[in-house]
Amino acid sequence: MSAHVLTDSWTMTRRELAHWARQPGQVLVALVFPVMLLLMFGYLIGGGRGVTGAYVDYLVPGMLALTMAFGLEGTMLNVTQDLTRGVIDRFRSLPMANGAVLVGRSAADMLQSAVALALLTAVAYRLGWRPYGGPGALLAAVGLLLLFRFAMLWIGIHLALVAGRPEMVQAVQILIWPVGFLSNALAAPDAMPGWLGTAVQWNPLSRTATAVRELLGGQGAEAGHLGAAVVWPLGLLAVFFPLAVGKFARLGRQ
């Protein structure tokens, strides 16, 4: 990546970060919402189906993965808003690197996701959750979660460029939420009907959640899921990254 692209990308990233100061409510809701879910499931609906022992040990890795999946909605909403307001068209008319808009969007969303992970982990620690792995395992778990978020980010960018309107985010939410809960984030697949448990096991979110439990220990920890937790996001990136970049490149010709 050339210095010109890096400079323009950093400018676009700072533009996204400036929105945090101008619209703190939107960022605050995005950060607090997963904390609310953690508290709700931890205290109100605790003792998830099929989970033995301390439910918080099972729940926290699942909530961390679920938060990364739901980040797709925020990415899609921001990109569609820029499209409808003509912001992206104005950027494309400027003498700047074409990919800087997408790189800036990616950097800002990944930074917000890292903050959300830190906040959720801090709250979970207050609830009594403890990572049983060492610092290396903790860093690897964070890496897997951010890799999964990165894959969701490019799915969100592609869907936003295809949809073109913020109103379409609601339609995507109807699909994302069932897919998110059709995972082992909150309940063990063993307690589900056989066909449903099999579908849950194949959900990429389940692979990430299980691998994080493997790295951090505690309830639901199973060995042998690290490879799948890496392959699934890379596979999604291999599909949706070129689709998003290609769609973005064709915007001016449509």
Side-chain angles (χ1 to χ4, degrees), residues 108-151:
D109 283 5
M110 291 301 294
L111 179 59
Q112 181 172 338
S113 297
V115 174
L117 279 181
L119 177 62
L120 197 59
T121 301
V123 174
Y125 201 85
R126 291 287 298 172
L127 289 179
W129 173 77
R130 297 291 183 273
Y132 294 97
L138 182 60
L139 289 175
V142 171
L144 284 179
L145 290 164
L146 291 179
L147 176 63
F148 183 58
R149 174 67 180 99
F150 195 59

Side-chain angles (χ1 to χ4, degrees), residues 30-35 37 59-76 106 108-121 140-157 176-177 179-181 183 185 203-209 212 229 233 236:
L31 294 176
V32 171
F33 181 66
V35 174
L37 286 181
L59 175 64
V60 171
M63 281 303 307
L64 293 172
L66 202 60
T67 301
M68 298 297 98
F70 286 169
L72 182 153
E73 299 172 17
T75 297
M76 188 176 176
S106 303
D109 283 5
M110 291 301 294
L111 179 59
Q112 181 172 338
S113 297
V115 174
L117 279 181
L119 177 62
L120 197 59
T121 301
V142 171
L144 284 179
L145 290 164
L146 291 179
L147 176 63
F148 183 58
R149 174 67 180 99
F150 195 59
M152 294 296 103
L153 185 151
W154 284 99
I155 294 175
I157 291 176
I176 292 297
W177 280 73
V179 171
F181 286 109
S183 70
N203 188 332
L205 194 159
S206 297
R207 300 291 186 173
T208 297
V212 172
L236 292 172

Side-chain angles (χ1 to χ4, degrees), residues 25-214:
Q26 183 177 343
V27 177
L28 189 62
V29 168
L31 294 176
V32 171
F33 181 66
V35 174
M36 291 174 58
L37 286 181
L38 176 64
L39 296 174
M40 183 177 69
F41 282 99
Y43 283 118
L44 301 180
I45 317 177
R49 296 181 60 190
V51 179
T52 57
Y55 182 53
V56 69
D57 288 342
Y58 185 91
L59 175 64
V60 171
M63 281 303 307
L64 293 172
L66 202 60
T67 301
M68 298 297 98
F70 286 169
L72 182 153
E73 299 172 17
T75 297
M76 188 176 176
L77 180 63
N78 288 324
V79 175
T80 52
Q81 286 178 339
D82 283 348
L83 281 171
T84 55
R85 294 170 180 168
V87 175
I88 290 182
D89 287 338
R90 290 200 294 274
F91 286 145
R92 289 170 63 87
S93 68
L94 298 174
M96 62 185 296
N98 199 32
V101 176
L102 296 182
V103 174
R105 171 84 274 149
S106 303
D109 283 5
M110 291 301 294
L111 179 59
Q112 181 172 338
S113 297
V115 174
L117 279 181
L119 177 62
L120 197 59
T121 301
V123 174
Y125 201 85
R126 291 287 298 172
L127 289 179
W129 173 77
R130 297 291 183 273
Y132 294 97
L138 182 60
L139 289 175
V142 171
L144 284 179
L145 290 164
L146 291 179
L147 176 63
F148 183 58
R149 174 67 180 99
F150 195 59
M152 294 296 103
L153 185 151
W154 284 99
I155 294 175
I157 291 176
H158 174 65
L159 292 177
L161 294 175
V162 172
R165 305 193 309 274
E167 296 82 2
M168 294 302 296
V169 177
Q170 295 179 354
V172 173
Q173 284 176 331
I174 296 174
L175 299 176
I176 292 297
W177 280 73
V179 171
F181 286 109
L182 189 64
S183 70
N184 67 357
L186 307 173
D190 294 342
M192 304 175 186
W195 63 271
L196 186 59
T198 301
V200 164
Q201 292 283 14
W202 279 96
N203 188 332
L205 194 159
S206 297
R207 300 291 186 173
T208 297
T210 306
V212 172
R213 292 186 183 112
E214 178 181 347

